[in-house]
């Protein structure tokens, strides 16, 4: 089985090495293909830079990647990397997609905007088992904790059936001995940040958007709340699907 490792922090992130080592330890063949530059907030966008109609790709070793693992810097958003890999752009089609380890949490409904989660959801829609991992710090210190949790989560993912679900993991930036454990959690109604929108004082036509930290204690049993209490969290995200539980009325005679 082949694992594609990507992220939205770019090819220079140590998180790629964490996921590559976990995949190799699980007996998977590994390919690292990550954005050439940071693509945070890209969601599932399919943006890429082309030269003569070709996506720009270069061999570049990500930090901490095991010897013998192919490592590519791609001028594209992570979801586009997942997309083209499913059509053999880098050789064999991956069976598993691992995205991260992201610097900073991906919790709550804000996961919609995450390039890390967007890549994993894209992989799931393309038939890959997919896992997104984030570490709760802008400048993480405890990558080893993320590696231990990822190894556990990957074992579970590989043992289960293939599905359209993405396993979204968030890990507190704590020493392994201080981690309280892993708990499955629902998404918080907010994310790691929220936006405040206001009119620009000097220009009524302009809006000012400020991103501010949220108060996680208001939803203590959510992924954001549990993460703040020292738990790693696991949330299963379902890739886009048509919900037929509610009927949309037709147009009368036009329905036939």
């Amino acid at each position: 089985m082949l694992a594609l490792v990507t992220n939205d922090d770019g090819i220079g992130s140590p998180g790629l090495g964490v996921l590559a080592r976990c995949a190799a330890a699980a007996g998977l063949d590994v390919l690292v293909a990550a954005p050439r530059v940071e693509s945070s907030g890209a969601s599932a966008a399919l943006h890429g830079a082309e030269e003569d109609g070709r996506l720009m790709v270069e061999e570049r070793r990500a930090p901490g990647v095991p010897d013998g693992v192919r490592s590519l810097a791609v001028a594209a958003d992570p979801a586009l990397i997942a997309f083209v890999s499913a059509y053999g752009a880098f050789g064999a089609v991956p069976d598993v997609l691992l995205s991260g380890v992201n610097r900073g949490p991906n919790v709550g409904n804000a996961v919609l905007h995450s390039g890390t989660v967007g890549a994993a959801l894209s992989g799931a829609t393309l038939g890959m088992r997919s896992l997104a991992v984030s570490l709760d710090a802008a400048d993480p210190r405890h990558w080893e904790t993320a590696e231990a949790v990822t190894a556990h989560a990957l074992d579970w993912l590989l043992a289960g059936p293939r599905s359209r679900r993405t396993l979204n993991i968030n890990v507190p930036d704590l020493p392994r001995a201080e981690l309280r454990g892993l708990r499955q959690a629902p998404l918080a109604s907010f994310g790691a940040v929220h936006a405040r929108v206001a009119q620009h004082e000097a220009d009524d036509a302009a809006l000012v958007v400020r991103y501010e930290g949220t108060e996680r204690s208001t939803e203590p049993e959510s992924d954001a709340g549990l993460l703040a209490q020292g738990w790693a969290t696991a949330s299963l995200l379902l890739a886009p699907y048509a919900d037929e539980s509610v009927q949309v009325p037709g147009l009368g005679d036009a329905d036939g």
Side-chain angles (χ1 to χ4, degrees):
M1 294 177 70
L2 175 65
L4 171 66
V5 174
T6 191
N7 68 1
D8 70 3
D9 283 332
I11 192 68
S13 172
L16 294 168
V18 171
L19 297 189
R21 292 192 298 271
C22 287
L28 303 177
D29 296 324
V30 183
L31 167 67
V32 173
R36 187 173 62 182
V37 296
E38 184 175 348
S39 299
S40 295
S43 188
L46 299 179
H47 298 141
E50 297 182 359
E51 186 175 282
D52 298 327
R54 297 173 297 173
L55 196 62
M56 297 166 61
V57 181
E58 61 178 308
E59 300 274 348
R60 190 184 302 176
R61 189 170 180 79
V65 169
D67 291 340
V69 170
R70 189 182 182 202
S71 181
L72 304 174
V74 186
D77 290 332
L80 180 55
I81 293 172
F83 182 83
V84 299
S85 74
Y87 293 92
F90 309 119
V93 174
D95 305 284
V96 181
L97 188 144
L98 307 180
S99 187
V101 173
N102 190 69
R103 289 175 286 201
N106 277 307
V107 294
N109 292 333
V111 297
L112 173 67
H113 308 292
S114 165
T116 295
V117 177
L121 289 172
S122 297
T125 65
L126 293 163
M128 305 174 202
R129 290 181 170 91
S130 68
L131 172 66
V133 184
S134 302
L135 193 51
D136 188 18
D139 186 16
R141 297 174 55 197
H142 300 288
W143 295 101
E144 76 287 351
T145 305
E147 190 160 348
V149 175
T150 298
H152 173 81
L154 182 57
D155 285 347
W156 179 86
L157 186 72
L158 295 176
R162 192 183 301 270
S163 76
R164 290 171 63 88
R165 293 179 177 86
T166 288
L167 181 57
N168 185 43
I169 298 290
N170 281 278
V171 184
D173 189 31
L174 296 171
R176 177 67 182 88
E178 296 179 19
L179 180 68
R180 296 181 68 180
L182 174 68
R183 287 182 59 179
Q184 189 163 351
L187 297 180
S189 60
F190 49 81
V193 295
H194 68 266
R196 184 181 301 277
V197 180
Q199 291 292 135
H200 192 282
E201 294 179 1
D203 186 354
D204 290 341
L207 293 176
V208 178
V209 182
R210 296 184 177 90
Y211 295 96
E212 303 171 350
T214 57
E215 177 54 61
R216 302 187 190 187
S217 62
T218 58
E219 297 180 9
E221 294 301 309
S222 69
D223 57 351
L226 291 171
L227 184 64
Q229 298 168 47
W231 293 92
T233 64
S235 303
L236 284 167
L237 311 178
L238 189 59
Y241 75 105
D243 184 358
E244 298 180 356
S245 64
V246 177
Q247 294 300 307
V248 179
L251 293 176
D253 292 342
D255 286 343

